[in-house]
Amino acid sequence: MLSSPEEIRTSFAKHNFIVDRSVSTVVYLAVRLGRPLLVEGPAGVGKTELARVLALVSGRELIRLQCYEGLDESKSLYEWNYQKQLLRIYTDQSQCRSWEEIRQTIYTEEFLLERPLLRALNAGNETVLLIDEVDKSDEEFESFLLEILSDYQISIPELKTISAKHIPIVVLTSNNFREFGDALKRRCIHLYLDYPDFEQELKIVRLKVPGIQEELAEKIVAFVQEVRRIKLKKAPSIAETLNWAEALLELKVTELDSEVFQSTAGVLLKYRSDIEQVAAQGPHLQQS
Amino acid sequence: MKPLEERIVDFCHRLRRFGISVTHSEIADALRAVSLVGLEYDDFYAALACTLIKEKTDRPLFHSLFRIYFNVKPAKPPEEDAGDPFEDADSEGYDGRESGRVEAGKTPGVVTEQRMKSRIEGEPYLLLIKAVKEGDYDMLQELAHHAVKNIKDNRKYGIEDARQLVKRAQDSIGWERAIDEVFEGVLSSRAMFF
């Protein structure tokens, strides 16, 4: 399924995920070299989607770990099911077992809560492990992650060392929220995913908003492409282009003028100040 | 080692000289990557970029060095490097920005004093390059005055927004051209070391 860049590109396209050749080449290389794929780029260009589609086309299960500040091993790797262990100790009490006996019963897989990282290592099938927004986690977590992504094994002191049965395809995403570790980056294959260019975004609009008039689609995409050049609080993502196109289609708009923009801008832009800025400095629209 | 592999390793060492740090394991990744995708231009480029360059800010420099080293006609750095009009809105910003570029290549390009002088007349962008290279703040100030004066002279066009004014001020002293020249100059002078 992932045997050449071209094949990746066509199978991605079958799932309505359009990428250019260089993107598929990088994905192919990460898979073949067995390296984590670090996807960076602005919000809304499809970084998470890429991992999802990669799992779909390779027939692998997608395991997702969402990062946030304060994420630690107990939430990402494993945790002992403390309450269940207590219950067990409680029910065993009457039988007057020794501590050694109790210890052996409560530190078993039955009482282990698998979190995404352990689940990916332990999985019987091949998986795609998505570590989303890794830049939001803290440094401590990062170095711990680096260790796992180097050996693909972890040791649970009370239990055993677990090595991955199948090395997962690992995809990390980052919005550059924070500069993160050099060492982790060096381990990865780097993919910079940017907003699509005009041709590509037009292709995406045609594909996802069938029934839209060619001329209108072109105008919408050209407009959005221009808007992204303006420094805004939040530049429109691909999804927002699509939502806007759908809205305009629904409203049976044929001409993109300033009135249409004013009345639908909320679909495309999420901040009042952004809307005002685009109205003032944005691409020229005809007065209606 | 095959000649191609030698060349790639050599290229990686040269990247280091430009301040793009590359580790041994990354070089090993790059070699394996190239062996997987072959030498077709875009694939070869992508293979080296994705294994060696991990910081977005290193991309434009990598792009130019790649083209020089692997004998591709030099072209402008990619769009993303074109810069943001807002960033340059004050003179502080543009001083920092340009000297930053010169810094990237460690030594400024070799353009002889004589050639420089003969080209300066009527070409403010050359003055701008020279001032940046020599850290001549008086000259930079002079150019800033010149730029602001040009805006005033052009008032007849009517009131425009701040961005356009800044843009016009920059244009009047050959801003973009100076950036291109400094960048290309640094690269071609370094290219002799290749």
Side-chain angles (χ1 to χ4, degrees), chain A residues 21-22 25-26 28-29 32-33 35 40 179 182 185-186 188-190 192 194 229 231 277 281, chain B residues 21-23 26 29 32-33 36-37 43 46-47 50-51 53-56 59 79 84 86 163:
Chain A
R21 166 98 187 181
S22 66
T25 303
V26 176
Y28 166 75
L29 284 172
R32 288 297 301 270
L33 296 175
R35 293 281 190 191
E40 289 192 289
E179 273 304 313
D182 208 40
K185 277 192 175 174
R186 295 203 181 282
C188 298
I189 296 295
H190 193 264
Y192 186 77
D194 212 342
R229 291 172 193 271
K231 191 168 194 163
Q277 211 178 334
Q281 305 172 355
Chain B
S21 54
V22 176
T23 63
E26 284 173 320
D29 282 348
R32 284 175 63 206
L36 282 168
V37 298
D43 294 342
C50 78
T51 48
I53 303 301
K54 310 289 166 80
E55 301 295 337
K56 188 190 166 198
R59 289 207 162 228
E79 263 293 291
D84 178 335
F86 283 92
R163 266 195 325 150

Side-chain angles (χ1 to χ4, degrees), chain B residues 87-144:
Chain B
E87 254 171 35
D88 312 321
D90 55 67
S91 57
E92 268 296 283
Y94 73 68
D95 287 353
R97 181 188 162 100
E98 297 220 0
S99 39
R101 278 166 184 276
V102 176
E103 199 61 33
K106 300 278 190 315
T107 51
V110 186
V111 180
T112 64
E113 193 72 9
Q114 201 49 47
R115 260 175 72 206
M116 191 60 114
K117 267 189 188 147
S118 67
R119 287 160 70 186
I120 277 173
E121 309 304 324
E123 296 274 22
Y125 82 96
L126 288 169
L127 280 174
L128 184 56
I129 295 172
K130 192 164 148 42
V132 169
K133 280 184 176 165
E134 292 170 5
D136 184 346
Y137 289 100
D138 290 340
M139 177 57 82
L140 285 171
Q141 215 162 15
E142 190 64 44
L143 284 164

Side-chain angles (χ1 to χ4, degrees), chain B residues 15-75:
Chain B
L15 288 179
R16 282 191 193 149
R17 277 207 232 157
F18 280 88
I20 299 178
S21 54
V22 176
T23 63
H24 289 299
S25 78
E26 284 173 320
I27 297 177
D29 282 348
L31 292 174
R32 284 175 63 206
V34 170
S35 73
L36 282 168
V37 298
L39 293 174
E40 202 270 306
Y41 178 81
D42 288 339
D43 294 342
F44 182 57
Y45 181 92
L48 291 191
C50 78
T51 48
L52 300 173
I53 303 301
K54 310 289 166 80
E55 301 295 337
K56 188 190 166 198
T57 46
D58 286 339
R59 289 207 162 228
L61 185 57
F62 171 83
H63 183 80
S64 307
L65 293 173
F66 179 90
R67 298 188 78 109
I68 290 168
Y69 193 78
F70 295 102
N71 280 332
V72 193
K73 256 184 154 179

Side-chain angles (χ1 to χ4, degrees), chain A residues 204-213 241-243 245-247 249:
Chain A
I204 297 172
V205 169
R206 279 196 215 117
L207 195 70
K208 301 237 176 166
V209 191
I212 195 155
Q213 272 193 330
T241 311
L242 294 173
N243 289 344
E246 269 163 11
L249 179 66

Side-chain angles (χ1 to χ4, degrees), chain A residues 92-233:
Chain A
D92 277 356
Q93 241 175 8
S94 51
Q95 297 167 28
C96 292
R97 291 182 191 236
S98 71
W99 163 244
E100 193 50 36
E101 277 174 308
I102 295 174
R103 198 184 63 81
Q104 276 175 12
T105 49
I106 61 172
Y107 287 114
T108 56
E109 287 188 27
E110 188 191 344
F111 299 95
L112 192 67
L113 292 173
E114 277 186 348
R115 302 299 186 202
L117 292 179
L118 181 58
R119 208 143 62 76
L121 295 185
N122 236 350
N125 301 318
E126 295 181 313
T127 58
V128 171
L129 171 62
L130 166 64
I131 302 173
D132 219 355
E133 301 190 273
V134 67
D135 51 330
K136 286 192 176 154
S137 65
D138 35 45
E139 277 169 41
E140 207 176 302
F141 178 74
E142 221 172 73
S143 42
F144 153 75
L145 198 57
L146 180 64
E147 219 177 290
I148 292 195
L149 297 182
S150 306
D151 308 337
Y152 292 102
Q153 69 170 35
I154 61 123
S155 114
I156 302 174
E158 301 89 345
L159 196 63
K160 60 176 177 181
T161 298
I162 294 175
S163 306
K165 295 181 183 72
H166 305 276
I167 303 285
I169 295 177
V170 182
V171 180
L172 300 103
T173 76
S174 156
N175 283 330
N176 277 319
F177 182 74
R178 161 179 86 80
E179 273 304 313
F180 70 98
D182 208 40
L184 186 56
K185 277 192 175 174
R186 295 203 181 282
R187 242 208 101 68
C188 298
I189 296 295
H190 193 264
L191 173 63
Y192 186 77
L193 209 56
D194 212 342
Y195 291 116
D197 61 17
F198 176 80
E199 290 298 330
Q200 210 170 10
E201 190 161 27
L202 186 61
K203 225 193 259 178
I204 297 172
V205 169
R206 279 196 215 117
L207 195 70
K208 301 237 176 166
V209 191
I212 195 155
Q213 272 193 330
E214 182 61 29
E215 203 184 329
L216 181 63
E218 277 174 26
K219 278 182 184 158
I220 289 171
V221 173
F223 185 84
V224 175
Q225 295 264 334
E226 278 300 309
V227 166
R228 288 200 187 112
R229 291 172 193 271
I230 304 173
K231 191 168 194 163
L232 298 172
K233 273 190 187 160

